[in-house]
Amino acid sequence: MYTDRKISSAVIKRLPRYYRYLGDLLDHDITRISSKELSEKMSITASQIRQDLNNFGGFGQQGYGYNVEYLYNEIKKILSLDRTYHMIVVGGGNIGQALVNYTGFEKRGFVITAIFDVNPRLIGMTIRGVEVYDVDKMEEYVKNNKVDVGILTLPRTAAREVAQNLADWGVPGIWNFSHVDLHLPPTTKVENVHLTDSLMTLLYKINEQPKPTEKENK
Amino acid sequence: MYTDRKISSAVIKRLPRYYRYLGDLLDHDITRISSKELSEKMSITASQIRQDLNNFGGFGQQGYGYNVEYLYNEIKKILSLDRTYHMIVVGGGNIGQALVNYTGFEKRGFVITAIFDVNPRLIGMTIRGVEVYDVDKMEEYVKNNKVDVGILTLPRTAAREVAQNLADWGVPGIWNFSHVDLHLPPTTKVENVHLTDSLMTLLYKINEQPKPTEKENK
């Protein structure tokens, strides 16, 4: 972990994207890249890239460019992705199941270890090998197992209480898909995925400028 | 549509959240609210709320507060949510199916009319009444039906080509769940939901400050 370096949150927000692009390059056996090439791929200016990447050591070499694997691994360390994370899903509905079924997380070391729900029809089932437990068992589970992230995919009415419980039990991260804002102590971090808000933003953008080719709205 | 008013994109970003809170108030039969009360609920300053809402007419009245239903309907109009949107899902996997199964969209007038996939096992099936078609049929479908939004929930390798096709066929909006950035002409708007980026940001936040209560990482 890079506790001795202070990186601005704007740069941090961009790091997962760098990480994704560098991972792609590695998958294609590309071992080095210039800031200019990376700039074209990512639609960021080359100077922005140099500035961003200089934040954690200036790895770019004149006439050589960046060592892709080295940079990938450095960002991995900065994002603390060089370890395994244990996650639980609270709410075994559509989105919850979709996340459990997504194999991409495991490849990155993000492992879903348990699902909790109130629905008796779901409890006892396994989804891709992950068991669905009664939500009443959650406190015991969290206290006896390492849980880094609680993924909230439950109806909004119950989400606040569950989030507060998880925070009280010491879970450091909440990935919140429930359509509600959470107010938790600073020891528990929250990242929201508010799908309907995202869709509404898109719909607003579509309507922002009337386009000449727009079809008639029926 | 409020074509005669220019509202800053920062305000626009906040509107879905106002819309959500006001909808909640209506569900609880609350017909008026002061900026102070709304401020406490939303964790935004009252002056920010007044400033935001003044952008589209100063509906707040001294000693009365805001008329919740009126404000709700005004924001609905500004966001162009007072009409039906037709959407197609490209990629009938986990996330695609979860979105089709989510009934909350329809209630808001966002209707998924078709799903496209390459998998012969899925083609011909219906998911909650929505048929899965061969992706080869997509061009014909888009040209013969009103499609406002293409929802991309397909593997990243195919996402760019599909997005470009949809843009070429005149689809004005892409809601992109595929883990890839799209570069499309300005007539097609894109909103990304990059789930893995969001999760990585959360994991970074968790690690940002070592917490005294942190459990041993095994």
Side-chain angles (χ1 to χ4, degrees), chain B:
Chain B
M1 250 181 281
Y2 277 56
T3 44
D4 53 338
R5 291 177 193 174
K6 191 72 197 161
I7 299 171
S8 82
S9 67
V11 177
I12 292 306
K13 274 250 167 239
R14 285 194 289 270
L15 286 186
R17 210 167 152 247
Y18 281 114
Y19 187 69
R20 172 150 51 91
Y21 274 84
L22 293 165
D24 281 355
L25 293 173
L26 283 184
D27 287 347
H28 290 90
D29 296 318
I30 295 167
T31 55
R32 60 181 189 166
I33 191 164
S34 67
S35 52
K36 187 164 169 288
E37 287 168 298
L38 195 56
S39 152
E40 280 158 14
K41 272 193 181 296
M42 296 185 65
S43 305
I44 307 182
T45 65
S47 94
Q48 174 80 78
I49 287 178
R50 284 191 295 267
Q51 215 178 319
D52 282 350
L53 301 185
N54 276 344
N55 267 292
F56 32 96
F59 318 116
Q61 279 173 39
Q62 194 70 37
Y64 175 86
Y66 293 98
N67 179 320
V68 175
E69 191 174 359
Y70 183 72
L71 200 50
Y72 178 82
N73 286 325
E74 285 300 304
I75 294 180
K76 188 173 186 169
K77 271 187 262 174
I78 292 167
L79 290 173
S80 300
L81 299 178
D82 50 350
R83 46 165 285 211
T84 300
Y85 290 90
H86 299 97
M87 317 197 286
I88 59 170
V89 167
V90 190
N94 300 311
I95 292 283
Q97 292 192 21
L99 295 175
V100 175
N101 279 316
Y102 179 59
T103 54
F105 290 148
E106 270 151 36
K107 287 184 203 151
R108 293 191 166 78
F110 315 151
V111 185
I112 295 171
T113 57
I115 305 161
F116 295 90
D117 206 291
V118 291
N119 185 343
R121 283 202 326 224
L122 287 175
I123 295 163
M125 273 179 59
T126 61
I127 299 169
R128 220 165 59 84
V130 183
E131 190 161 349
V132 184
Y133 299 98
D134 190 319
V135 83
D136 288 345
K137 302 274 189 284
M138 191 160 59
E139 179 169 5
E140 197 190 330
Y141 185 92
V142 171
K143 290 181 172 172
N144 289 314
N145 294 275
K146 184 165 169 52
V147 176
D148 299 295
V149 173
I151 306 178
L152 301 193
T153 49
L154 71 168
R156 49 191 306 178
T157 42
R160 283 220 172 98
E161 191 190 332
V162 167
Q164 186 61 56
N165 284 337
L166 293 175
D168 291 345
W169 303 332
V171 173
I174 301 284
W175 199 22
N176 177 35
F177 286 74
S178 296
H179 207 206
V180 71
D181 298 309
L182 304 172
H183 308 288
L184 297 175
T187 42
T188 295
K189 310 295 180 190
V190 178
E191 186 74 17
N192 295 309
V193 182
H194 287 334
L195 293 179
T196 307
D197 286 12
S198 165
L199 180 55
M200 284 183 191
T201 305
L202 175 63
L203 299 179
Y204 177 80
K205 286 187 196 168
I206 292 175
N207 288 288
E208 212 172 358
Q209 307 138 324
K211 285 178 292 300
T213 55
E214 204 169 29
K215 293 177 197 170
E216 195 58 38
N217 177 18
K218 275 173 254 176

Side-chain angles (χ1 to χ4, degrees), chain A residues 2 7 12 15 56 73-80, chain B residues 204:
Chain A
Y2 277 56
I7 300 170
I12 292 305
L15 286 187
F56 31 95
N73 286 325
E74 285 300 304
I75 294 179
K76 187 173 188 171
K77 271 187 262 173
I78 291 167
L79 289 173
S80 300
Chain B
Y204 177 80

Side-chain angles (χ1 to χ4, degrees), chain A residues 75-168:
Chain A
I75 294 179
K76 187 173 188 171
K77 271 187 262 173
I78 291 167
L79 289 173
S80 300
L81 298 177
D82 51 350
R83 47 164 284 211
T84 299
Y85 289 90
H86 298 96
M87 317 198 286
I88 60 170
V89 167
V90 190
N94 299 311
I95 292 284
Q97 292 191 21
L99 295 175
V100 175
N101 279 317
Y102 179 59
T103 55
F105 290 149
E106 271 151 35
K107 286 185 204 150
R108 291 190 167 80
F110 314 151
V111 184
I112 295 171
T113 58
I115 305 161
F116 295 90
D117 205 290
V118 291
N119 185 343
R121 283 201 327 225
L122 287 176
I123 295 165
M125 274 179 57
T126 61
I127 299 169
R128 222 167 56 85
V130 183
E131 191 162 347
V132 183
Y133 298 99
D134 190 318
V135 83
D136 287 345
K137 302 274 189 285
M138 192 162 56
E139 179 169 5
E140 197 191 329
Y141 186 92
V142 171
K143 290 182 172 172
N144 290 313
N145 294 276
K146 185 165 169 52
V147 177
D148 299 294
V149 173
I151 307 178
L152 301 193
T153 50
L154 72 168
R156 50 192 305 182
T157 42
R160 281 219 173 98
E161 191 189 333
V162 167
Q164 187 62 55
N165 284 337
L166 293 175
D168 291 344

Side-chain angles (χ1 to χ4, degrees), chain A residues 30-48:
Chain A
I30 295 167
T31 55
R32 62 181 188 166
I33 191 164
S34 68
S35 52
K36 186 164 170 289
E37 287 167 298
L38 194 57
S39 154
E40 280 157 14
K41 272 192 180 295
M42 295 185 66
S43 304
I44 307 183
T45 65
S47 94
Q48 173 80 77

